[in-house]
Amino acid sequence: RVSEENGSTVTPRPPFIIVTCVQALMQKTLSPATLARLTFSLSIGDERDTDSLTGALQKAGYSFVPEVQKKGEACLKGGLLDVWPAAAPWPLRIEFMDTTVESLRSFNPADQRSVEKLAHVDISPATESGLMKNAPKNSAAVVSWLPEDTLFVWSNTDSVAEHASLYEEMVAESSHAKEVTVSFAQLRSGIGRLPGSVQLSTGNDGA
């Protein structure tokens, strides 16, 4: 634990390791600001207007259907709102009494039976690719999600650069792919701008 000047203590963030390929790092994802803007929470007792709620779901990429059967879908029937967030194992059923959230529960879409009663739910955007395709400004490089003191280790740098070059050639054939992809040079430059970040390389590195 780390002591603060005001006498409180903070538990340090545990370290974590991500092993991935350069192609994945070159693909953009939703920006932290976009995810925060399009994610909302609901708790029992909350006052929410269903019209504004359905509007928020549509902006977050949800498709309204007669019956929810897969992730990214939503359905409003009277005082019941069903929605299946991308990160949820089961769809959610939100029951309203007028504008008050009366109950929250997950349910099995096969038989419509309740799985678990909930007191609070977080609803994140339904889709990543769709939101970025409609508005490229919603996207950001993957490194924007990483801590500023991240240590990057490039294993066999020559091979990494070669695979990055091949990926750039493939991406160049698609206008949409170019909008949601950063070049290898941009990736390394972005990492270099992270305060406290360190890049280590194995193999020859001409960068």
Side-chain angles (χ1 to χ4, degrees), residues 123-182:
I123 300 177
S124 56
T127 174
E128 178 183 74
S129 59
L131 291 171
M132 293 193 298
K133 181 177 181 180
N134 295 332
K137 65 180 181 181
N138 289 332
S139 63
V142 174
V143 295
S144 65
W145 284 94
L146 300 176
E148 294 181 343
D149 57 352
T150 297
L151 170 64
F152 294 84
V153 179
W154 302 103
S155 179
N156 194 339
T157 312
D158 289 343
S159 178
V160 170
E162 181 180 356
H163 281 83
S165 178
L166 291 172
Y167 186 62
E168 288 177 5
E169 291 178 8
M170 182 183 71
V171 166
E173 299 176 0
S174 169
S175 59
H176 169 60
K178 287 192 293 185
E179 292 178 346
V180 293
T181 305
V182 296

Side-chain angles (χ1 to χ4, degrees), residues 83-94:
V83 56
W84 198 339
W90 297 102
L92 307 173
R93 178 157 289 161
I94 306 160

Side-chain angles (χ1 to χ4, degrees), residues 13 16-22 24-26 141-157 160 182 184 186-202 205:
R13 182 187 69 245
F16 59 90
I17 298 174
I18 299 176
V19 181
T20 187
C21 60
V22 67
L25 290 175
M26 292 167 66
V142 174
V143 295
S144 65
W145 284 94
L146 300 176
E148 294 181 343
D149 57 352
T150 297
L151 170 64
F152 294 84
V153 179
W154 302 103
S155 179
N156 194 339
T157 312
V160 170
V182 296
F184 186 49
Q186 290 172 326
L187 172 63
R188 298 204 69 169
S189 176
I191 293 173
R193 289 194 296 271
L194 289 176
S197 70
V198 177
Q199 297 187 64
L200 302 178
S201 303
T202 65
D205 187 1

Side-chain angles (χ1 to χ4, degrees), residues 20-169:
T20 187
C21 60
V22 67
Q23 294 93 327
L25 290 175
M26 292 167 66
Q27 296 173 20
K28 292 184 179 180
T29 184
L30 289 180
S31 70
T34 298
L35 184 64
R37 175 170 54 85
L38 297 179
T39 298
F40 58 91
S41 302
L42 287 175
S43 299
I44 291 178
D46 282 355
E47 294 291 330
R48 287 295 183 93
D49 175 69
T50 54
D51 288 339
S52 63
L53 196 54
T54 54
L57 289 171
Q58 289 174 326
K59 289 181 180 179
Y62 284 88
S63 299
F64 276 78
V65 295
E67 187 175 273
V68 170
Q69 291 294 322
K70 61 184 180 181
K71 293 184 178 185
E73 294 182 341
C75 174
L76 179 63
K77 294 181 179 180
L80 292 179
L81 175 62
D82 293 346
V83 56
W84 198 339
W90 297 102
L92 307 173
R93 178 157 289 161
I94 306 160
E95 185 173 359
F96 290 88
M97 180 64 71
D98 195 14
T99 59
T100 303
V101 177
E102 192 76 6
S103 74
L104 295 167
R105 60 186 183 274
S106 56
F107 69 94
N108 187 328
D111 56 19
Q112 299 293 303
R113 292 185 178 180
S114 297
V115 174
E116 181 183 7
K117 291 183 177 180
L118 305 167
H120 174 90
V121 295
D122 294 314
I123 300 177
S124 56
T127 174
E128 178 183 74
S129 59
L131 291 171
M132 293 193 298
K133 181 177 181 180
N134 295 332
K137 65 180 181 181
N138 289 332
S139 63
V142 174
V143 295
S144 65
W145 284 94
L146 300 176
E148 294 181 343
D149 57 352
T150 297
L151 170 64
F152 294 84
V153 179
W154 302 103
S155 179
N156 194 339
T157 312
D158 289 343
S159 178
V160 170
E162 181 180 356
H163 281 83
S165 178
L166 291 172
Y167 186 62
E168 288 177 5
E169 291 178 8

